[in-house]
Amino acid sequence: MTLPFDTCWERVERAELHRQALIKIWNDLKSDDIYSSETEVDENGNGKFFIRTIKRDWLLPASLQLGEMLYQLRSALDSCVYDAAVLEFNQCPPPNDEQWNFPICATPAKFNNLVRRMKKLPDNLRRLLESVQPYSGSIGRSEEIEWDLGLTLGILNDWARIDRHRKLHLVGTAISNGNLSFISPHGSGIESCDFQSGEFLLEHNSEIARFKIRHYVPGTKVLMNAQFTFEIVVDEAPRMSKLQDISVAMILSISGVRELFEQHYGVKR
């Protein structure tokens, strides 16, 4: 039996398929194929450690899966409003069927401007839409985490719009954590090692750390063992975002909105 808001369910499931495809692309990569490392040490024992990206052809299929995921999630929101209009007016299609979409706005003024175009918008549906706007302060909750639901919808809306007109800045990878260990010649040692602050965005040639070797003998080979965790990042507003975290938050947010609509209209599964 078909129920209202089934389309939203189905689109979220499609989005999850694209997310899993993106994860597979990432998991199938071998770090030695896409990165190389290099150490430079001057005659005074002052050194630098670099990581270079040597393979970036995985970014195109990853960008495709990301774009399809965003499309399905953004469309899932619009389908909620369409189904709500069907319930409100007790007819399918509803009056002015092309106008029913889910506005996502950064300010109340922009929201008011957009909903004016939705003729015969019922007040209760308007309140429902406004309750999850980016400026609303609405919070999403699951068993383990809390997140800003409205802000997440705002990011989804912006990224989906950007992806329609140009490729998102899926810049590749960043180091989220890890460490370097040194194998120093006998009689020498590491006097200091300073990492760059924050996460390390890996584009082409990235300096990860600077170090100083105590009692360094010029020409001596320095061996380093790098153990880092890499993550895909998207360099778009509001900030550089870890794709894994934001994609999960988006899917949870759409599911939360769907549940809100179902509760409001008394749809039980």
Side-chain angles (χ1 to χ4, degrees):
M1 176 181 176
T2 301
L3 292 174
F5 312 112
D6 274 356
T7 300
C8 181
W9 278 82
E10 292 168 359
R11 288 199 177 275
V12 169
E13 289 176 354
R14 293 181 195 175
E16 177 62 15
L17 290 176
H18 291 296
R19 192 179 77 89
Q20 291 300 325
L22 205 163
I23 290 173
K24 186 177 187 307
I25 291 171
W26 177 243
N27 288 340
D28 287 347
L29 293 173
K30 296 180 180 180
S31 59
D32 290 343
D33 292 338
I34 58 177
Y35 307 114
S36 66
S37 62
E38 183 176 324
T39 304
E40 296 179 358
V41 184
D42 66 20
E43 61 182 11
N44 296 314
N46 298 305
K48 298 178 181 180
F49 179 78
F50 298 90
I51 290 181
R52 294 187 171 93
T53 54
I54 56 177
K55 181 180 180 181
R56 293 174 65 84
D57 58 356
W58 63 274
L59 283 170
L60 183 58
S63 297
L64 173 63
Q65 297 299 336
L66 173 59
E68 291 300 313
M69 183 192 76
L70 295 173
Y71 170 77
Q72 294 297 337
L73 292 177
R74 188 62 184 88
S75 299
L77 288 175
D78 289 339
S79 74
C80 283
V81 178
Y82 186 92
D83 285 1
V86 170
L87 294 173
E88 290 283 353
F89 296 99
N90 196 31
Q91 66 179 78
C92 185
N96 305 308
D97 63 309
E98 293 183 358
Q99 76 172 10
W100 300 104
N101 60 79
F102 199 115
I104 301 176
C105 306
T107 66
K110 291 182 178 180
F111 177 80
N112 291 333
N113 184 52
L114 279 183
V115 296
R116 286 194 194 101
R117 306 173 189 176
M118 300 172 69
K119 299 177 181 179
K120 298 183 179 180
L121 175 66
D123 288 342
N124 64 321
L125 179 53
R126 177 192 173 112
R127 288 192 294 270
L128 199 59
L129 291 171
E130 192 162 23
S131 70
V132 292
Q133 293 300 308
Y135 58 83
S136 68
S138 56
I139 301 298
R141 293 181 176 88
S142 69
E143 293 181 357
E144 299 179 352
I145 59 173
E146 287 189 359
W147 70 97
D148 190 322
L149 189 150
L151 176 62
T152 303
L153 295 184
I155 296 172
L156 168 62
N157 186 62
D158 290 342
W159 287 12
R161 174 179 49 79
I162 290 169
D163 192 68
R164 287 197 301 270
H165 301 291
R166 65 162 172 82
K167 187 173 70 173
L168 280 164
H169 286 144
L170 184 64
V171 294
T173 53
I175 297 174
S176 58
N177 58 67
N179 62 75
L180 284 172
S181 59
F182 298 80
I183 302 175
S184 303
H186 181 71
S188 66
I190 301 302
E191 185 174 303
S192 64
C193 181
D194 298 317
F195 288 87
Q196 294 182 8
S197 61
E199 294 174 342
F200 309 117
L201 181 62
L202 302 179
E203 286 191 287
H204 310 302
N205 189 25
S206 303
E207 181 184 321
I208 305 303
R210 295 187 179 191
F211 55 90
K212 171 71 174 179
I213 300 177
R214 183 176 58 253
H215 306 314
Y216 178 71
V217 178
T220 302
K221 187 175 182 179
V222 177
L223 300 178
M224 307 185 73
N225 181 30
Q227 295 183 328
F228 293 115
T229 300
F230 301 97
E231 299 201 45
I232 304 176
V233 291
V234 179
D235 192 15
E236 297 285 358
R239 57 184 171 78
M240 189 174 71
S241 302
K242 296 178 183 178
L243 182 54
Q244 173 65 7
D245 293 346
I246 193 64
S247 62
V248 170
M250 286 177 178
I251 287 176
L252 289 175
S253 296
I254 304 303
S255 297
V257 169
R258 186 203 67 242
E259 290 172 2
L260 186 66
F261 272 70
E262 288 179 342
Q263 291 171 6
H264 180 81
Y265 288 101
V267 176
K268 298 182 179 180
R269 297 185 179 274

